[in-house]
Amino acid sequence: MNVIKGQYVLIAETENQIVGFSTLDQGNYIDLLFVHQEYQHQGIASLLYAKMEEEALRHGQKQLTADVSKTARPFFEKAGFQMLKEQTVNVKGVDLTNYKMVKNLTL
């Protein structure tokens, strides 16, 4: 099954190596946002996120949503997201906490 089929996909590369990626589903849901640990804290996630927001705005979206891990929550809060609720999701038999977050967009 192709998880990202039909999603807007961005890939960050350096020296022909993928160092990060992000996907936007249904024009307003950030499904994936990942940066390789050796390339974190270099602005890659911020750049990928900015491009996702631009794409959402280009299609007239009023909000962005995401289900965010504990480690990603500070990044999303810094980008202007607010937590709607804490959630528990089961991934391969393991319960994990994440957060449903939303950001209202303005033109």
Side-chain angles (χ1 to χ4, degrees):
M1 175 186 227
N2 187 344
V3 175
I4 61 173
K5 185 176 182 179
Q7 293 189 25
Y8 179 75
V9 178
L10 289 176
I11 297 172
E13 292 182 76
T14 185
E15 298 175 9
N16 294 319
Q17 178 181 352
I18 294 174
V19 297
F21 58 86
S22 186
T23 67
L24 189 65
D25 191 18
Q26 300 176 18
N28 68 351
Y29 176 73
I30 297 175
D31 189 23
L32 302 168
L33 178 58
F34 172 82
V35 175
H36 187 282
Q37 68 181 23
E38 292 179 16
Y39 293 89
Q40 292 178 0
H41 306 289
Q42 297 180 25
I44 296 168
S46 295
L47 181 59
L48 288 168
Y49 168 74
K51 295 296 182 184
M52 290 287 130
E53 187 172 308
E54 285 176 18
E55 180 68 6
L57 286 168
R58 196 167 66 83
H59 289 283
Q61 297 295 325
K62 305 275 191 250
Q63 287 186 330
L64 279 176
T65 62
D67 293 307
V68 175
S69 69
K70 284 183 178 182
T71 56
R73 183 176 167 187
F75 172 84
F76 279 85
E77 287 174 336
K78 185 177 177 184
F81 281 75
Q82 296 178 352
M83 182 181 68
L84 292 178
K85 67 179 179 177
E86 184 175 304
Q87 309 174 120
T88 301
V89 293
N90 189 286
V91 179
K92 298 181 181 179
V94 177
D95 286 338
L96 301 172
T97 299
N98 75 6
Y99 306 95
K100 172 69 74 182
M101 299 191 78
V102 65
K103 179 179 181 180
N104 292 320
L105 301 177
T106 56
L107 296 175

